[in-house]
């Protein structure tokens, strides 16, 4: 039996060009091994290779391959030689006539043959099953791990490969990464009939092949919801960070038909945090991914619909409804909208960094790239909590971590507990008053030019990894002309809208705007996108819940 393996994904394959013999071999195999293995048969070497490639793409296991020696176009040895490239760990058996025993012996050296069987093999209890039992025992003790999950084949220094890995990781989609230079990566490329020129290659758990997919295509193929189930809702939440997830949980739990729209992955910046230690109720800390996963499952449990990889490009007021438009031209509408779009990390304005983004220069991607930083020197730009959390996480495996801080100290922007941890970490150093002047490298980051702000002195250092956390910009440009924002792009709401104690211009209602309500009645803001917000996870979740309370108040009076 296929002990410890997924029987549905563990295969014994037999190939013989004689249909009668092929059926007989498959019959005897099913009689003995049908409960523990899936028996697949083919009647030519080419069709058997095609079957192996399909099995490989789906992540199925192949334990044993039995091939007849005398087949036209491609004999058994030639077939096993090619099969070895697809499933090098499968045990290989050649079926031969007595006259072909010399060829079978020669094949031991050519294809590393495990055994050859003389035809006929009757009775199988004596001549077939004992041989296969031994081969299956040997196979089970070898490294034959199945990969029935999404697989990504790419180049280490490919920006899009990094983006795909980040997208899958942040959306909690299990995947396995293969470099296009390693043997298994090359096998997967060959099975997908790709030469490696266009990367990344994504192979989904069911065997679908995606070449250089964009986020919407990737989301749809790995099982993430991208299409709304309805045209009209009670509440549309835009943004899936802590504020948006908080709104979705409270909105759905209180009976509102709620849909959350996220352009990339739920969690926002908090979802990328390696550890949040000052969030209420988690004395030992919690990773952003864990907190995000729990919140997403909680929202789904209450009935909230979550759409991923959907970019919102417009907001329209149509009478009592609020219409949200997507980049593909489609739209949904609702009675109310909560803007929880959050913020994105600002780009480092230093020569060379733009072309190396995703190739050694990363913005908030510490979790995905951490394994590759083992034993290397890492630089982190920024002095706030997100930079400190990334430094502590990367320091577990990196040779050294250097924090580059523009200010004179960390105390102005980083929590006290985090400063203490960084001070005590032996492989973390802090360089204050230092900025990145330039980044250098051809296809990946190789060096950095650092400048001391006070003296102007510059220094060239070797560096393959730089993570940037230098403040945030709101994702609100698409609201221009509809929702009032301040000079930095943050959304103005509630009392801040008042001019001389009066409601904002064009405000048509008799009442003043509610606390988190924008200049558009029924459109609220929560979290980091709001002007003068606290920029903390707890406050964002609280504002998400408060916004839903105000949505109820708005609906009651409409």
């Amino acid at each position: 039996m296929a002990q410890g393996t997924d029987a549905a994904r563990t295969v014994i394959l037999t190939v013989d060009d004689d249909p009668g013999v092929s059926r007989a071999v498959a019959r005897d195999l099913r009689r003995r091994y049908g409960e523990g293995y899936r028996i697949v048969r083919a009647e030519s070497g080419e069709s058997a290779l095609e079957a192996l490639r399909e099995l490989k793409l789906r992540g199925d296991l192949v334990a044993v391959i039995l091939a007849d020696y005398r087949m036209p176009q491609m004999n058994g040895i030639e077939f096993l030689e090619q099969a070895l490239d697809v499933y090098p760990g499968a045990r290989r058996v050649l079926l031969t006539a007595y006259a072909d025993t010399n060829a079978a012996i020669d094949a031991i050296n050519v294809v590393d043959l495990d055994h050859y069987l003389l035809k006929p093999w009757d009775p199988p209890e004596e001549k077939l099953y004992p041989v296969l039992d031994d081969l299956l025992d040997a196979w089970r003790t070898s490294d034959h791990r199945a990969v029935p999950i999404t697989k990504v084949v790419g180049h280490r220094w490919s920006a899009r490969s990094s983006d795909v890995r980040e997208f899958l990781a942040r959306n909690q989609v299990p995947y396995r990464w293969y470099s296009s230079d390693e043997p298994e990566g090359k096998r997967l490329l060959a099975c997908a009939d790709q030469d490696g020129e266009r990367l990344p290659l994504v192979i989904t758990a069911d065997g679908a092949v995606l070449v250089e997919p964009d986020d919407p295509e990737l989301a749809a193929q790995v099982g993430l919801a991208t299409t709304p189930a309805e045209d009209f809702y009670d509440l549309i939440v835009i943004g899936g960070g802590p504020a948006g997830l908080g709104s979705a949980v409270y909105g759905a739990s209180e009976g509102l038909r709620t849909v959350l729209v996220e352009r990339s992955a739920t969690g926002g910046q908090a979802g990328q945090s390696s550890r949040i230690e000052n969030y209420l109720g988690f004395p030992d800390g919690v990773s952003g991914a864990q907190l995000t996963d729990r919140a997403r499952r909680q929202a789904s449990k209450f009935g909230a619909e979550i759409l991923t990889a959907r970019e919102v490009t417009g907001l329209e007021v149509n009478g009592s409804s609020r219409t949200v438009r997507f980049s593909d031209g489609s739209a949904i509408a609702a009675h109310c909208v909560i803007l929880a779009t959050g913020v994105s990390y600002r780009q480092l304005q230093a020569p060379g960094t733009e072309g190396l983004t995703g190739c050694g220069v990363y913005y908030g991607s510490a979790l995905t790239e951490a394994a590759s930083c083992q034993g290397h020197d890492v630089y982190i730009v920024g002095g706030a909590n997100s930079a400190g959390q990334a430094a502590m996480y990367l320091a577990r495996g990196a040779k050294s971590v250097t924090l580059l801080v523009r200010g004179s100290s960390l105390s102005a922007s980083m929590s006290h507990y985090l400063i203490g941890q960084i001070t005590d970490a032996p492989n973390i150093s802090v360089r204050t008053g230092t900025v990145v002047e330039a980044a250098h490298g051809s296809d990946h980051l190789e060096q950095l030019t650092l400048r001391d702000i006070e003296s102007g002195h510059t220094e060239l250092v070797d560096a393959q990894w730089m993570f940037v956390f230098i403040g945030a910009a709101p994702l609100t440009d698409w609201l221009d002309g509809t929702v009032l924002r301040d000079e930095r792009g943050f959304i103005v709401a509630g009392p801040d809208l008042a001019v001389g104690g009066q409601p904002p211009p064009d405000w048509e209602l008799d009442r003043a705007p509610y606390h988190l309500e924008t200049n558009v009645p029924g459109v609220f803001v929560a979290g980091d996108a709001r002007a003068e917000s606290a920029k903390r996870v707890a406050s964002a979740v609280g504002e998400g819940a408060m916004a839903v309370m105000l949505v109820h108040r708005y609906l009651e009076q409409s």
Side-chain angles (χ1 to χ4, degrees):
M1 297 299 103
Q3 301 170 0
T5 64
D6 182 351
R9 291 186 176 273
T10 308
V11 171
I12 298 175
L13 182 139
T14 174
V15 53
D16 197 304
D17 66 303
D18 186 323
V21 175
S22 178
R23 286 192 295 269
V25 175
R27 179 198 63 219
D28 288 343
L29 292 175
R30 289 193 181 96
R31 184 185 306 160
R32 173 82 168 193
Y33 306 105
E35 292 185 6
Y37 297 86
R38 184 154 58 96
I39 311 303
V40 175
R41 71 180 185 93
E43 295 183 2
S44 73
E46 191 55 50
S47 64
L49 286 173
E50 183 62 29
L52 287 175
R53 294 186 188 104
E54 292 179 4
L55 293 168
K56 186 74 171 182
L57 293 177
R58 290 204 302 264
D60 294 350
L61 296 168
V62 175
V64 177
I65 301 172
L66 299 93
D68 182 49
Y69 172 63
R70 291 197 175 187
M71 293 188 295
Q73 285 81 49
M74 182 187 299
N75 66 38
I77 297 175
E78 294 169 336
F79 160 72
L80 289 172
E81 192 171 9
Q82 294 190 48
L84 185 65
D85 292 332
V86 184
Y87 278 99
R91 304 300 169 176
R92 294 167 291 281
V93 179
L94 194 68
L95 300 177
T96 69
Y98 181 78
D100 300 321
T101 53
N102 287 335
I105 293 171
D106 292 339
I108 293 175
N109 296 322
V110 176
V111 294
D112 193 21
L113 196 68
D114 293 291
H115 205 90
Y116 67 89
L117 289 173
L118 294 177
K119 297 188 292 186
W121 57 86
D122 291 330
E125 289 77 10
E126 296 179 10
K127 298 183 178 180
L128 178 64
Y129 298 154
V131 171
L132 287 191
D133 286 346
D134 288 343
L135 292 178
L136 289 169
D137 285 341
W139 176 82
R140 281 194 294 266
T141 60
S142 65
D143 183 13
H144 59 266
R145 290 169 294 177
V147 191
I149 59 175
T150 296
K151 295 176 278 292
V152 181
V153 182
H155 191 273
R156 177 185 180 186
W157 301 117
S158 160
R160 184 55 190 158
S161 294
S162 177
D163 290 343
V164 165
R165 295 171 64 191
E166 182 83 358
F167 179 86
L168 294 174
R170 292 188 60 200
N171 280 291
Q172 304 290 314
V173 177
Y175 76 92
R176 185 165 292 178
W177 163 258
Y178 299 92
S179 171
S180 58
D181 297 328
E182 67 181 50
E184 186 66 8
K186 292 179 179 178
R187 280 190 283 270
L188 290 169
L189 286 170
C191 289
D193 196 26
Q194 296 294 316
D195 57 11
E197 290 297 316
R198 299 175 60 200
L199 293 173
L201 173 78
V202 178
I203 303 166
T204 66
D206 59 3
V209 176
L210 312 175
V211 181
E212 294 181 314
D214 58 18
D215 286 354
E217 179 187 9
L218 185 58
Q221 289 292 333
V222 298
L224 300 174
T226 59
T227 304
E230 302 180 33
D231 295 326
F232 195 88
Y233 297 83
D234 293 320
L235 174 63
I236 299 172
V237 180
I238 303 175
L245 287 168
S247 296
V249 166
Y250 282 93
S253 67
E254 294 171 11
L256 297 176
R257 292 172 298 164
T258 303
V259 59
L260 183 150
V261 181
E262 168 56 48
R263 69 185 187 119
S264 179
T266 50
Q269 284 189 322
Q272 296 175 278
S273 175
S274 56
R275 198 138 202 91
I276 302 170
E277 297 191 64
N278 58 354
Y279 187 63
L280 185 67
F282 292 90
D284 298 322
V286 61
S287 74
Q290 290 173 319
L291 193 62
T292 297
D293 181 57
R294 293 178 181 182
R296 181 172 51 222
R297 287 189 285 112
Q298 194 173 15
S300 297
K301 182 190 77 171
F302 287 124
E305 188 179 337
I306 299 177
L307 304 181
T308 305
R310 295 304 301 266
E311 184 178 3
V312 177
T313 58
L315 175 65
E316 299 174 2
V317 178
N318 296 304
S320 61
S321 72
R322 307 291 178 257
T323 301
V324 170
R325 297 209 170 274
F326 298 119
S327 58
D328 64 357
S330 61
I332 54 176
H335 293 299
C336 291
V337 173
I338 295 177
L339 303 171
T341 52
V343 293
S344 63
Y345 289 111
R346 285 197 171 92
Q347 304 294 295
L348 188 63
Q349 300 301 314
T353 55
E354 183 177 357
L356 294 173
T357 299
C359 304
V361 177
Y362 303 94
Y363 292 87
S365 303
L367 292 177
T368 305
E369 301 295 337
S372 301
C373 297
Q374 297 285 322
H376 292 184
D377 297 316
V378 177
Y379 288 83
I380 296 177
V381 183
N385 279 3
S386 54
Q389 290 160 351
M392 291 301 302
Y393 183 76
L394 291 169
R396 298 176 186 176
K399 178 182 177 182
S400 71
V401 176
T402 303
L403 270 169
L404 305 175
V405 184
R406 176 182 288 271
S408 58
S409 72
L410 292 173
S411 58
S413 54
M414 189 177 293
S415 296
H416 177 73
Y417 80 90
L418 203 48
I419 295 175
Q421 292 177 357
I422 289 172
T423 302
D424 293 339
N427 60 336
I428 298 179
S429 60
V430 181
R431 294 183 56 164
T432 57
T434 304
V435 296
V436 175
E437 188 80 357
H440 314 279
S442 52
D443 60 343
H444 67 276
L445 179 66
E446 297 173 2
Q447 293 180 312
L448 292 172
T449 297
L450 307 181
R451 177 171 59 86
D452 183 275
I453 295 176
E454 185 175 344
S455 67
H457 174 72
T458 61
E459 176 186 0
L460 188 66
V461 298
D462 293 332
Q464 285 189 311
W465 305 95
M466 179 174 69
F467 298 90
V468 182
F469 305 84
I470 55 169
L475 301 170
T476 59
D477 288 347
W478 59 278
L479 292 168
D480 189 35
T482 305
V483 173
L484 186 63
R485 302 174 296 148
D486 66 13
E487 65 279 359
R488 295 180 299 161
F490 290 94
I491 299 170
V492 181
D496 294 332
L497 286 167
V499 179
Q502 298 299 315
D506 301 326
W507 183 260
E508 299 177 352
L509 303 182
D510 294 335
R511 62 170 177 83
Y514 295 133
H515 182 65
L516 297 176
E517 195 170 21
T518 70
N519 63 302
V520 180
V523 176
F524 300 83
V525 60
D528 290 358
R530 184 177 66 83
E532 306 301 326
S533 63
K535 307 296 187 292
R536 287 290 185 268
V537 175
S539 62
V541 173
E543 287 190 8
M546 183 187 297
V548 171
M549 179 191 73
L550 298 174
V551 164
H552 281 293
R553 188 178 300 176
Y554 172 83
L555 293 174
E556 290 168 359
Q557 297 183 4
S558 296

